[in-house]
Amino acid sequence: MLLNKLNLSDNEVWILYSSENSDPYFGKFITDKTIVPSAAVFSKEKCTLFVHELDKENIKDFSGKVVVYDSKNTIIKSIENTLASLQFPQKIYLNYSDRLDSQTDVLGHGTFRFLSDNLSEFYKNSGKSEPEFHSADEIIYFLLDSKTDEDIKYLKIAANRALEILSTAFRKIRPGMSEKMIANLVHNIFRQKPAYFKKFGIISEDFSWEKEACPIVLVGENLQKGGHSAPSDKILKRGDTVYFDFGVKITLKNGKSYSSDLQRMGYVLMPSEKTPPQNVKDVFNTLTEAIQKGMENMFPNKMGFEIDEIVRNHITENGYPSYNHATGHPIGENAHNPGTSISPKGYKRSEMAIRENGVYTIEPRIQIPNGGSIEEMVMVTKNGGIPLCSPQKSLYLIK
């Protein structure tokens, strides 16, 4: 199945190398049962796994070809023999990043030198042109973005679970609570697990990122800060806007995990108010309009920066300042998955395409005192983006 997705040519191979689970993609796509250095070579027709004799009993379920090495027939010699049998492919993809992506830059400089130096010498001694080494970024991004129907199903469950927690929290918030108190309220709601978890084979639930900053809560003047700010002692007052940035990570019996990442915005009514003032309505409407414009343009093969421009320009064209972060990011197993960044042109991962059935966030912000921020999880389709849970259409009102 994985080979069919890769679509490698006769002249290309993808080599993964892992020692004591140093490469998360080796564990995800091949096996996490090896301890001693192990490797895999993906070619057009097959995948060959190289394991030490100490680990051979741990990979009995592997369906591809297995080569067992020892101190005499080393791992590098075994890889070289396989490359020779493949007619010395010229393009070798390795798990390092040339886009400064820390999530895919996993090989390590020493391991890169070990592989590249040895393989270059082997090709040279065999009378062949030295191979070209390339980043496997695009391969990893493609595999992670290619969501199955089951992946989408559980990402929707994760999104709706986060939404139900936030909706419950908004009903319980009262003026006079601090950002920290509001965050603790969310944590208390989170501890109450729903009955449907068992039905869907969900065995555990965690926060999408570190507990101390999940949720991020900002109120009133603190909305000018932008994201990534831990909850403070700032008190929520009447006339304040308030927003959450929150997500959960659910894990299934089969070991797969799925994350969510949502932002929702509310307003605390003044005693004389039945509806928010016009300036707050304008902030909210501008955010939802920007998100809608972004979703309408989320077609396969659109560049990340193109979506960013559409969303960001709607914010600035309405007289608000540009925000100091990306408009969106891929989401899957982790809240921030590797892949295309929906951010301004010039950022390396923004000049990549979004993919059909990929899931990305759209999260514009109006970064002013009493501003706001909303974030939706969106699946890319041929007809544009589809939100994975009910998008925010009205402000949460706190009395």
Side-chain angles (χ1 to χ4, degrees):
M1 180 67 74
L2 194 58
L3 280 173
N4 294 336
K5 287 184 178 180
L6 292 178
N7 196 30
L8 294 168
S9 73
D10 290 328
N11 205 33
E12 297 175 311
V13 291
W14 178 28
I15 300 179
L16 298 89
Y17 186 97
S18 185
S19 178
E20 298 192 29
N21 296 311
S22 61
D23 186 331
Y25 305 106
F26 189 93
K28 182 178 182 64
F29 298 127
I30 303 166
T31 179
D32 59 0
K33 305 299 184 186
T34 61
I35 301 299
V36 183
S38 50
V41 174
F42 280 95
S43 64
K44 180 179 179 180
E45 301 293 341
K46 63 183 178 181
C47 174
T48 304
L49 174 62
F50 306 88
V51 297
H52 192 272
E53 57 184 357
L54 291 172
D55 284 327
K56 65 180 181 180
E57 294 299 317
N58 299 331
I59 46 87
K60 288 182 176 179
D61 295 334
F62 183 74
S63 58
K65 180 180 178 181
V66 177
V67 173
V68 179
Y69 74 90
D70 54 29
S71 58
K72 294 181 180 179
N73 182 30
T74 64
I75 189 170
I76 193 66
K77 290 297 182 185
S78 300
I79 294 172
E80 289 170 354
N81 290 338
T82 294
L83 295 178
S85 72
L86 294 170
Q87 306 302 314
F88 295 89
Q90 282 297 299
K91 282 190 176 181
I92 297 178
Y93 296 96
L94 298 173
N95 287 1
Y96 67 90
S97 177
D98 55 12
R99 292 186 170 89
L100 301 180
D101 188 342
S102 61
Q103 293 190 78
T104 55
D105 199 27
V106 297
L107 186 61
H109 182 67
T111 307
F112 174 82
R113 288 294 304 272
F114 167 73
L115 291 171
S116 60
D117 289 354
N118 276 284
L119 295 181
S120 294
E121 187 69 17
F122 173 64
Y123 274 52
K124 182 179 178 181
N125 291 340
S126 302
K128 305 296 182 181
S129 299
E130 292 187 30
E132 301 171 7
F133 296 98
H134 297 270
S135 164
D137 273 347
E138 288 279 2
I139 294 174
I140 295 171
Y141 296 157
F142 173 75
L143 292 175
L144 294 181
D145 275 355
S146 300
K147 302 291 193 298
T148 65
D149 289 344
E150 180 171 293
D151 292 334
I152 298 299
K153 170 185 172 180
Y154 283 101
L155 284 168
K156 286 181 177 178
I157 292 172
N160 280 288
R161 168 63 174 161
L163 181 57
E164 72 183 28
I165 291 172
L166 293 184
S167 297
T168 301
F170 270 114
R171 292 196 296 270
K172 295 177 180 290
I173 295 174
R174 294 294 179 266
M177 298 176 71
S178 69
E179 291 176 351
K180 288 181 179 178
M181 292 170 66
I182 295 170
N184 286 333
L185 170 63
V186 172
H187 289 173
N188 290 335
I189 298 168
F190 168 85
R191 293 188 188 101
Q192 303 163 23
K193 304 307 178 188
Y196 63 78
F197 273 13
K198 184 176 181 181
K199 172 185 174 183
F200 290 110
I202 298 169
I203 61 170
S204 67
E205 178 187 38
D206 204 345
F207 298 101
S208 285
W209 53 91
E210 61 275 6
K211 178 181 177 181
E212 292 73 22
C214 188
I216 296 168
V217 182
L218 295 177
V219 306
E221 294 176 0
N222 279 358
L223 267 296
Q224 192 172 17
K225 287 183 180 180
H228 298 187
S229 299
S232 73
D233 293 319
K234 177 73 174 176
I235 299 298
L236 178 67
K237 308 185 304 296
R238 292 194 177 277
D240 280 347
T241 56
V242 54
Y243 105 108
F244 290 103
D245 188 346
F246 178 70
V248 301
K249 186 173 189 175
I250 56 174
T251 300
L252 313 184
K253 290 179 180 178
N254 61 12
K256 290 186 176 181
S257 295
Y258 298 92
S259 293
S260 54
D261 189 1
L262 296 177
Q263 295 174 28
R264 290 295 183 263
M265 176 185 172
Y267 173 75
V268 189
L269 292 165
M270 298 290 285
S272 60
E273 292 176 331
K274 292 186 179 179
T275 62
Q278 190 60 48
N279 64 312
V280 173
K281 290 180 181 177
D282 289 344
V283 166
F284 179 80
N285 290 337
T286 301
L287 289 168
T288 56
E289 289 163 4
I291 290 170
Q292 184 61 35
K293 285 178 176 289
M295 287 197 296
E296 289 172 356
N297 286 276
M298 289 190 74
F299 300 107
N301 299 319
K302 275 272 194 177
M303 297 294 109
F305 73 84
E306 295 179 292
I307 307 300
D308 181 275
E309 284 178 359
I310 292 166
V311 176
R312 193 179 299 269
N313 286 350
H314 188 77
I315 300 297
T316 57
E317 286 167 2
N318 278 272
Y320 300 108
S322 183
Y323 40 93
N324 62 357
H325 56 78
T327 292
H329 54 81
I331 186 165
E333 180 178 357
N334 299 307
H336 284 237
N337 251 27
T340 302
S341 176
I342 301 177
S343 55
K345 190 173 185 179
Y347 183 58
K348 287 190 174 185
R349 290 191 287 124
S350 73
E351 298 182 20
M352 295 167 48
I354 59 175
R355 305 181 196 276
E356 187 172 3
N357 292 334
V359 176
Y360 307 84
T361 65
I362 301 182
E363 47 183 298
R365 179 182 303 270
I366 293 180
Q367 203 168 327
I368 59 174
N370 242 24
S373 191
I374 301 170
E375 179 176 20
E376 304 291 355
M377 294 169 57
V378 182
M379 179 177 71
V380 177
T381 77
K382 292 177 181 176
N383 299 312
I386 298 175
L388 293 195
C389 65
S390 296
Q392 186 168 5
K393 295 296 186 182
S394 60
L395 277 162
Y396 289 94
L397 298 181
I398 300 165
K399 297 179 180 180

